[in-house]
Amino acid sequence: MSLTPGFLQALLLMGAASFLCRAGGFFLMRYVPVTPRLESALRALPFGVMLGIAAPVVLQGRVPESVGLALVVLVMAWRGNDLLAALTGVAAVALLRPLM
């Protein structure tokens, strides 16, 4: 992969779009009353996103990704920390891919 101007431009635009979505959501949530139901939905969101990213690859039957997803689920249940779970899953896939 090379760092062409088109790639850098796309990367910057995607980063800006991601930031604007997060900032806009943060701004708009100031006007939404947080009920217990909404709070539990927001707490479940990171796990759902990780599952949605990994599920298509796991359904193809790839072992490293399946192990990574299993570790994500375990770490999320054990520690409740989505960042730690994501890093654990990525590390597992990175370590297992060369072996498979």
Side-chain angles (χ1 to χ4, degrees):
M1 178 168 74
S2 62
L3 294 175
T4 63
F7 173 77
L8 291 175
Q9 182 182 16
L11 185 65
L12 290 173
L13 287 173
M14 287 187 290
S18 177
F19 172 76
L20 289 173
C21 285
R22 290 180 69 82
F26 181 75
F27 175 75
L28 291 174
M29 283 303 292
R30 293 191 307 178
Y31 302 104
V32 176
V34 179
T35 63
R37 184 175 180 178
L38 177 61
E39 184 177 352
S40 64
L42 290 173
R43 288 187 188 277
L45 198 58
F47 180 71
V49 169
M50 285 185 207
L51 186 62
I53 291 169
V57 178
V58 170
L59 290 175
Q60 293 176 357
R62 297 183 182 169
V63 174
E65 287 80 1
S66 299
V67 171
L69 180 61
L71 286 173
V72 165
V73 170
L74 289 172
V75 171
M76 283 290 288
W78 175 49
R79 302 294 293 178
N81 185 331
D82 55 341
L83 179 61
L84 180 62
L87 292 175
T88 303
V90 168
V93 173
L95 291 171
L96 290 175
R97 271 194 183 166
L99 301 175
M100 301 277 164

